[in-house]
Amino acid sequence: MTLANRPPMGWNSWNYGLNERNRADFSRITEQSMLAQAQAMVDTGMLAAGYEYFVLDDGYQNARRDWQGRLQGHALRFRHGIPQLVEDVKALGLKFGIYSVPGTLTCAQQYDDYVAGDLGSLNHEQIDAQAFAEWGIDFVKYDWCRAHLNDGLDPEVAFKKMADELRATGRDIVYSISEYGFWKPHEWAPKFTNMWRTTDDLFADWDSLLRTLDLQEPLYPYSRPGAWNDPDMLQVGNGSLTSAENRAHFFLWAVLNAPLMAGNDLIRMTDEVRDLLIHPGIIEIDQDWSGEQGKLTWRDGDLQVWSKQMSEAAGSGVAAVLLNRGETNARFNIEQAVGSFSTAKDVWSGDLVDASSSVEVEPHGAVLLRLS
Ligand code: GLA
């Protein structure tokens, strides 16, 4: 079985650690808070729904490496150390992911005044990969952070180097890279990574969501099992996103076969957000592969349809997101916008819909249909 045979699912600490102004607040990233979120992945049904990777993003590191040159957890916020946290999180039945960068500076050091120190993996690639493998790490996020300017690195070469070191450990480690889509990663990353960011950071507001979505349009031919386009982690349940916007976001990521990495506070999330994140009918669409990820298939002004073919194993037919980007209610004629089908079901409400009629979609909202 290929590693990341289906789009990886999990929870990542980065969006959770951002404050209302999208600035990182590292006091939120502690061993207690991380363990509590990991426990909540189990208690809320996230793990059972498929979210298996717990990923500790930037901001866990101590300013100094240890005497062997290994990364360590921040001395005050991770008193028992990262290996202990990995063990505790994995004891819950989760897998563990961790963050590093190919250059000298992590993005938090660069943009969020994080501690000065030798945190990057440049010239430590082997020791970092080996430490990760020994700790039982299952997922590595490797983030560019201007390593071309700071360290004169070439993205493809630098990302390949860590891929080789991870492979040399002999451990199955999902390799997730992030250079924000700057150097056409879809052309080279599928050869040695499992997922690559296609865009800069997604923030928890509607404009950022639409900007990110538009950049996905030409990329559908590059995704495949084991190697996925990554339009960035989920912001469902965060920031200013309304219920309708949360649903549109999640429906779209599902049709795009995007990795589903939640980043909301799982302890305080509303039932509505939880029900969305663990909805089996939506997750099935995300995880299903019938040869091509979803793509933009129809548009008329502010109205768009993003749709994908479903595999035979998942019941065939089509999954379609009817997206209303505009500010007023809109009607989609199903036959015109999606095609001729005999049955249609609204996946979120579970209601059957007349496939020969039209569907109303609220502003900044979407309806997700399964048609056959
Ligand atoms: C970049 C990445 C984010 C996050 C931060 C960490 O902005 O795109 O996903 O990893 O760095 O500093």
Side-chain angles (χ1 to χ4, degrees):
M1 198 153 110
T2 331
L3 199 55
N5 207 16
R6 296 289 172 257
M9 294 173 65
W11 183 89
N12 175 299
S13 61
W14 186 250
N15 289 336
Y16 166 85
L18 297 181
N19 66 20
E20 306 66 44
R21 286 167 292 114
N22 287 321
R23 305 298 305 175
D25 175 359
F26 299 108
S27 70
R28 299 186 190 198
I29 310 297
T30 66
E31 68 186 19
Q32 290 85 347
S33 71
M34 293 298 98
L35 270 173
Q37 291 297 322
Q39 181 68 52
M41 284 178 82
V42 178
D43 297 343
T44 57
M46 294 280 288
L47 173 60
Y51 296 85
E52 55 178 343
Y53 291 99
F54 176 93
V55 183
L56 185 58
D57 205 286
D58 204 358
Y60 66 86
Q61 310 90 329
N62 200 39
R64 285 173 157 277
R65 288 170 172 263
D66 72 8
W67 62 277
Q68 292 174 293
R70 294 178 164 209
L71 286 167
Q72 345 182 57
H74 189 277
L76 297 177
R77 288 181 286 115
F78 292 90
R79 287 186 185 271
H80 298 92
I82 302 302
Q84 184 64 52
L85 179 67
V86 176
E87 198 179 314
D88 293 346
V89 167
K90 294 186 74 162
L92 297 170
L94 294 158
K95 294 180 172 164
F96 201 101
I98 203 161
Y99 173 98
S100 195
V101 300
T104 43
L105 293 180
T106 77
C107 285
Q109 290 182 299
Q110 194 135 216
Y111 305 115
D112 301 288
D113 302 321
Y114 193 60
V115 297
D118 194 9
L119 307 192
S121 291
L122 183 62
N123 301 324
H124 305 287
E125 291 88 354
Q126 190 179 20
I127 194 166
D128 287 350
Q130 280 176 1
F132 295 160
E134 275 169 42
W135 300 343
I137 299 286
D138 307 294
F139 180 113
V140 167
K141 173 171 172 182
Y142 211 47
D143 193 14
W144 188 245
C145 309
R146 303 216 283 185
H148 57 308
L149 300 176
N150 297 334
D151 308 295
L153 299 185
D154 170 79
E156 183 172 346
V157 172
F159 282 116
K160 172 82 163 46
K161 184 159 179 66
M162 186 49 104
D164 292 342
E165 293 298 350
L166 290 173
R167 185 163 330 102
T169 68
R171 189 177 169 82
D172 277 348
I173 299 177
V174 171
Y175 185 40
S176 160
I177 70 155
S178 155
E179 48 78 290
Y180 332 110
F182 288 171
W183 290 275
K184 300 197 167 113
H186 48 277
E187 290 181 355
W188 45 267
K191 285 181 279 186
F192 55 85
T193 79
N194 300 112
M195 51 192 266
W196 54 91
R197 284 271 298 277
T198 55
T199 46
D200 211 337
D201 292 18
L202 171 68
F203 292 110
D205 64 76
W206 186 246
D207 288 345
S208 179
L209 187 71
L210 293 184
R211 248 196 328 275
T212 302
L213 177 67
D214 289 339
L215 292 164
Q216 309 310 316
E217 201 190 317
L219 300 178
Y220 64 87
Y222 298 96
S223 241
R224 57 175 164 76
W228 306 98
N229 283 312
D230 175 13
D232 203 5
M233 303 178 289
L234 296 169
Q235 289 284 12
V236 171
N238 286 339
S240 68
L241 294 172
T242 64
S243 301
E245 292 171 344
N246 276 328
R247 284 195 295 276
H249 174 18
F250 197 55
F251 296 168
L252 287 160
W253 263 230
V255 159
L256 292 172
N257 290 112
L260 299 179
M261 305 300 293
N264 57 318
D265 183 339
L266 300 178
I267 295 167
R268 285 174 198 81
M269 72 177 152
T270 62
D271 289 354
E272 187 185 63
V273 165
R274 186 204 55 214
D275 291 347
L276 180 62
L277 286 172
I278 69 175
H279 193 291
I282 307 171
I283 290 174
E284 178 186 36
I285 293 168
D286 179 77
Q287 298 286 295
D288 183 55
W289 185 254
S290 65
E292 191 176 78
Q293 79 166 56
K295 58 186 178 193
L296 180 65
T297 48
W298 181 85
R299 76 185 327 157
D300 180 11
D302 283 335
L303 310 187
Q304 294 185 333
V305 174
W306 292 75
S307 64
K308 63 170 282 207
Q309 184 65 43
M310 296 294 292
S311 74
E312 236 174 82
S316 305
V318 163
V321 181
L322 317 185
L323 173 68
N324 178 5
R325 305 165 59 119
E327 307 299 327
T328 54
N329 279 335
R331 275 205 163 272
F332 286 73
N333 176 313
I334 297 179
E335 282 185 349
Q336 262 170 29
V338 195
S340 274
F341 295 90
S342 50
T343 66
K345 191 173 118 184
D346 179 324
V347 176
W348 175 243
S349 70
D351 296 341
L352 288 175
V353 176
D354 180 354
S356 62
S357 76
S358 63
V359 183
E360 180 152 291
V361 183
E362 63 198 311
H364 293 201
V367 167
L368 173 59
L369 295 178
R370 275 291 299 264
L371 307 111
S372 49

